[in-house]
Amino acid sequence: MAARADNTEQQATPGTKPGVALHADPSSPEAQDAMWEAALAGVEGELDEDDSVTIGLLRGARRNDASRYGVSAKRRHARILQIFGIVRKYDVFGGITPVKFRRMLEELGPTFVKAGQILSMRSEILPERFCSELTKLRSDVDPMPYETVIAVLEQEYGGQFGELFDAIGEHPLGSASVAQVHRARLATGEDVAVKVQRPHVQEVMAQDIDIMRSLVRHLTPFFKGEQFLDLTSVVEELWDTFREETDFLVEARNLEEFRRNNEDCKFVTCPKPYLRLCTKHVVVMDYVDGITISSPARLVEEGYDLTEIGTKLVDNYASQLLDDGFFHADPHPGNIEVFGGQIVFLDLGITGRLSPSLRRIMRDMIFSVAERDTPRLKSALLRLSSTSPDEVDHAELLADLDEVVDEFGTVSLSELDLGSFLGNIIALARRNGIELPGQITSMARGLVTLEGVLDEFLPGVNMIDIISQHIRAHTDAAEKLRHDASELAIRGKAATKGLLGAAAQAELAMSMLTRGQLKLNMDFVGSEDPIDDLSHIADRLTLGVLCVGFLIAASAIVMSSRVSADAFCVLGVPAFAFVCYVLAFALAFAVLHDIWARHRRKHGK
């Protein structure tokens, strides 16, 4: 949702004096109850005391966001029943498809819709098919009543409301799960867009997050060993994201920072926020009546060059990522407009940040693929990871990276499929137990989203070629020299530390050897229990020797000329020789069957 008016049916000209349409006192118990019931969708109960943290002698401290925002146990239990009813309806435990998952989140309400929108940018958590489907989560929902919007504004500004605003458009420009936007006119004459947060949306989120925490606490013991995802950290990350996005002062500061970063760029901007009018629940910014990037025909009619727009858009996004380290994390078509010869980024509620070290690593990864340098790519990937290098199978990681380099390193940078490349890197990291920081996956999702925009609406604009040119143009010789010197110093320090450590280990090993205390630990690659494997090999060898021995004994008896004519025979073969043949063939069959069975188990067939 953004401050825009693409649909002419929704372009309500401000003309309604604020407060005129409001017939009920917003501070009255009736109005408060109505807003609360609309937010909680029928969940009833009484408020608890306002405590956000509890302590216990046995269980320790525990966060309690539900109590902090006034959600009682009765409301919580009612919401749990509602959630389980919807989950049971979609048969989650029997298996769920991406489409059913999206529809279930929509039915669960705004908290889960927002969670789905966030998860759609985290392909290290969900498979790519689910992420793609979650990008379709609706941004337009049933709008708040106009009276509720006015009530929220009056609560935020008190008696100054009528003095600040001259008119508020009755019809919303857009309505989403967290807030909706109305066109308005300030008393000083500026044409603005007002983003109003739905009443008690944080209370609803706190209630749902509290339920999620309880579920995770009970489900975590069942996800041991192979679990690659820390469920608790995911829930806490969702809550932190919710709090940031629902604090509209953060979005106002994001708008101001974005404008400051791009003040020297004549072709990119964002709506100007009116910071003195912004609160935790309201953002007031310039009204932008632009042409969305998803309407290329209209852009051409207005005289714009689509190739120029695409080139400048990608170059600026590369600058956001690699130069500023502050970027728009959700550049879908609805959040990008062209107005007055400028590309306007809307809705700065979801942003990302990259530290200088992360930006250097990303540069290294792009060029290491182009130069087919697998060790350099592995080093960059491990520097990104919070996983200890000792916990990674380096041989397997190098083999996987060789496949990536073979697939993408044979093409020029201008032909590199960036979306596929990043998807392969994230999947490879997950497969090798490498935990990537959330900023990287947000950046990857942003790039993939932008690449999809280019492919659909601005064909002919090569994203990776523009990014690589941007990197080269903004990396002068002095900076490259400083970077190389820094890399050399880091690697030299690591090498020196490794040599000293190796010398210390060698001294310890020699000391243990002279005392007879040295033990040898063997580790077979691809084997979970090497002793068991060795025992199995010995068993096979024993059976093989017995099989050969029976064959030799039987053959010796048959070839012997001393066998009497009246000896008992089976099929013309002396009985003892026949038994030896049967045992030999039985042992051979047993060995072959065991080999085949272990092969099938190993490959999961």
Side-chain angles (χ1 to χ4, degrees):
M1 184 180 60
R4 59 181 179 274
D6 301 328
N7 192 331
T8 55
E9 295 181 0
Q10 292 182 336
Q11 291 182 8
T13 302
T16 305
K17 288 294 290 183
V20 172
L22 185 63
H23 301 292
D25 181 4
S27 62
S28 67
E30 292 79 7
Q32 294 290 334
D33 290 342
M35 288 191 295
W36 176 252
E37 289 176 5
L40 292 183
V43 180
E44 301 176 353
E46 299 295 332
L47 298 182
D48 284 342
E49 57 184 333
D50 184 18
D51 290 326
S52 59
V53 179
T54 61
I55 62 172
L57 295 177
L58 299 179
R59 298 182 61 184
R62 179 172 63 89
R63 290 179 59 179
N64 193 350
D65 294 308
S67 295
R68 175 184 176 187
Y69 288 97
V71 179
S72 68
K74 187 175 181 180
R75 285 194 176 112
R76 183 176 182 273
H77 293 156
R79 177 59 172 159
I80 290 174
L81 293 177
Q82 185 183 33
I83 291 174
F84 272 98
I86 296 173
V87 169
R88 187 167 56 250
K89 171 184 173 182
Y90 285 89
D91 191 24
V92 171
F93 300 105
I96 189 168
T97 63
V99 174
K100 287 175 63 178
F101 185 52
R102 173 180 60 80
R103 291 175 179 172
M104 182 187 70
L105 293 180
E106 289 179 341
E107 191 168 337
L108 283 169
T111 305
F112 291 88
V113 168
K114 186 56 62 177
Q117 292 171 350
I118 294 172
L119 288 173
S120 70
M121 296 184 289
R122 300 296 302 274
S123 53
E124 86 283 7
I125 294 178
L126 289 177
E128 186 61 34
R129 287 182 57 195
F130 280 81
C131 291
S132 299
E133 184 62 32
L134 291 181
T135 59
K136 302 176 184 178
L137 282 170
R138 68 185 190 273
S139 58
D140 291 326
V141 300
D142 294 336
M144 288 187 289
Y146 181 69
E147 291 78 8
T148 303
V149 173
I150 297 298
V152 172
L153 292 174
E154 288 193 341
Q155 287 177 346
E156 291 297 312
Y157 299 112
Q160 295 182 336
F161 174 56
E163 301 174 2
L164 296 173
F165 292 92
D166 180 59
I168 303 290
E170 185 173 352
H171 301 286
L173 302 175
S175 180
S177 58
V178 173
Q180 69 184 39
V181 175
H182 285 256
R183 187 176 179 180
R185 185 171 59 246
L186 297 180
T188 51
E190 291 91 345
D191 197 8
V192 297
V194 181
K195 185 174 181 179
V196 182
Q197 188 175 128
R198 291 178 180 268
H200 301 292
V201 69
Q202 278 199 336
E203 286 88 333
V204 179
M205 290 180 173
Q207 175 181 249
D208 289 345
I209 289 293
D210 190 57
I211 294 171
M212 290 180 188
R213 287 197 185 104
S214 298
L215 290 175
V216 167
R217 193 161 53 245
H218 290 91
L219 290 176
T220 298
F222 297 99
F223 292 91
K224 298 295 184 182
E226 298 300 321
Q227 180 190 2
F228 72 93
L229 180 62
D230 185 350
L231 296 176
T232 302
S233 65
V234 169
V235 172
E236 297 304 326
E237 180 183 347
L238 288 175
W239 172 244
D240 291 337
T241 303
F242 289 154
R243 284 195 307 174
E244 181 175 341
E245 191 173 354
T246 53
D247 184 353
F248 284 179
L249 287 175
V250 174
E251 180 172 352
R253 288 192 291 268
N254 289 342
L255 289 167
E256 187 68 19
E257 182 175 356
F258 190 91
R259 288 178 62 85
R260 187 167 58 251
N261 290 342
N262 291 276
E263 60 184 357
D264 294 331
C265 182
K266 297 181 179 180
F267 55 84
V268 169
T269 188
C270 71
K272 182 184 74 173
Y274 293 79
L275 295 180
R276 65 184 180 86
L277 301 178
C278 295
T279 71
K280 293 188 67 174
H281 304 107
V282 177
V283 176
V284 180
M285 55 192 145
D286 279 337
Y287 172 74
V288 179
D289 187 11
I291 304 173
T292 177
I293 205 77
S294 60
S295 302
R298 286 188 59 194
L299 291 171
V300 173
E301 289 177 3
E302 294 294 326
Y304 291 104
D305 185 337
L306 297 183
T307 302
E308 181 183 5
I309 291 174
T311 302
K312 290 181 176 179
L313 174 63
V314 174
D315 184 74
N316 178 263
Y317 202 72
S319 181
Q320 293 178 38
L321 291 170
L322 303 176
D323 300 335
D324 302 331
F326 175 73
F327 62 94
H328 195 302
D330 191 21
H332 65 75
N335 282 340
I336 305 173
E337 289 187 359
V338 178
F339 176 71
Q342 289 184 304
I343 299 170
V344 184
F345 281 88
L346 306 171
D347 196 352
L348 270 291
I350 302 179
T351 59
R353 295 183 184 273
L354 294 174
S355 65
S357 60
L358 289 179
R359 301 202 293 270
R360 286 196 299 268
I361 293 172
M362 291 309 302
R363 291 190 182 98
D364 285 348
M365 291 184 69
I366 292 175
F367 284 111
S368 61
V369 173
E371 297 169 5
R372 300 179 61 82
D373 190 344
T374 303
R376 181 182 176 187
L377 180 60
K378 178 178 81 76
S379 174
L381 187 61
L382 291 178
R383 282 156 55 201
L384 278 178
S385 170
S386 58
T387 307
S388 172
D390 297 335
E391 300 175 6
V392 177
D393 187 333
H394 291 263
E396 184 175 350
L397 178 59
L398 280 171
D400 288 344
L401 288 174
D402 279 335
E403 294 181 5
V404 172
V405 169
D406 289 340
E407 180 177 356
F408 297 99
T410 55
V411 300
S412 64
L413 277 176
S414 61
E415 299 174 349
L416 178 63
D417 184 345
L418 185 62
S420 179
F421 167 68
L422 291 172
N424 275 265
I425 289 294
I426 292 174
L428 178 149
R430 180 195 301 172
R431 192 165 59 247
N432 286 272
I434 297 175
E435 183 179 352
L436 297 179
Q439 304 96 307
I440 296 301
T441 50
S442 295
M443 181 208 69
R445 176 57 58 180
L447 286 170
V448 172
T449 302
L450 187 60
E451 190 173 38
V453 172
L454 296 175
D455 291 342
E456 185 172 0
F457 303 112
L458 303 172
V461 178
N462 189 288
M463 185 172 181
I464 190 63
D465 189 32
I466 298 172
I467 291 177
S468 61
Q469 291 177 14
H470 179 93
I471 294 174
R472 291 190 177 96
H474 291 75
T475 305
D476 56 21
E479 182 180 352
K480 188 175 187 304
L481 183 61
R482 287 194 300 270
H483 174 64
D484 291 343
S486 174
E487 285 290 314
L488 182 62
I490 293 173
R491 295 188 181 186
K493 179 181 178 181
T496 303
K497 185 177 179 180
L499 287 173
L500 293 176
Q505 292 292 335
E507 181 182 4
L508 177 62
M510 291 299 297
S511 176
M512 294 177 66
L513 180 63
T514 55
R515 298 179 182 181
Q517 297 175 328
L518 188 64
K519 296 182 179 180
L520 179 63
N521 294 324
M522 300 180 64
D523 186 16
F524 293 90
V525 177
S527 174
E528 297 180 358
D529 191 348
I531 301 300
D532 180 69
D533 288 345
L534 288 174
S535 176
H536 200 78
I537 292 171
D539 292 342
R540 284 186 184 177
L541 287 173
T542 301
L543 292 176
V545 170
L546 288 174
C547 178
V548 172
F550 283 129
L551 283 174
I552 293 174
S555 300
I557 293 173
V558 170
M559 299 299 295
S560 176
S561 58
R562 297 180 181 180
V563 178
S564 61
D566 59 347
F568 179 72
C569 297
V570 178
L571 300 177
V573 178
F576 183 73
F578 182 81
V579 171
C580 290
Y581 277 128
V582 170
L583 291 174
F585 284 112
L587 291 173
F589 176 79
V591 172
L592 291 175
H593 180 270
D594 180 68
I595 293 173
W596 176 248
R598 287 177 66 87
H599 175 77
R600 289 176 62 87
R601 286 196 301 272
K602 180 178 180 181
H603 294 279
K605 297 181 179 179

